[in-house]
Amino acid sequence: MSNALLLRRAHRNPLSEVREARQLRMLQTSAIVSGIAGVTVTALAFVTIGLGA
């Protein structure tokens, strides 16, 4: 890591740390929900194609 990045992290506000952690949790949750939705849609497509054949 560069010295500038280390210095910037040393002077961070605790509230910004909480805000960043919350944002990361939201991104993770969004990725998981999107993944589940994608798998569900794919499975439904396979079932629909299977029933139509």
Side-chain angles (χ1 to χ4, degrees), residues 25-51:
R25 274 197 306 275
M26 288 298 293
L27 286 173
Q28 289 171 342
T29 303
S30 176
I32 290 168
V33 169
S34 296
I36 292 171
V39 169
T40 302
V41 168
T42 303
L44 286 173
F46 279 126
V47 168
T48 304
I49 291 169
L51 292 175

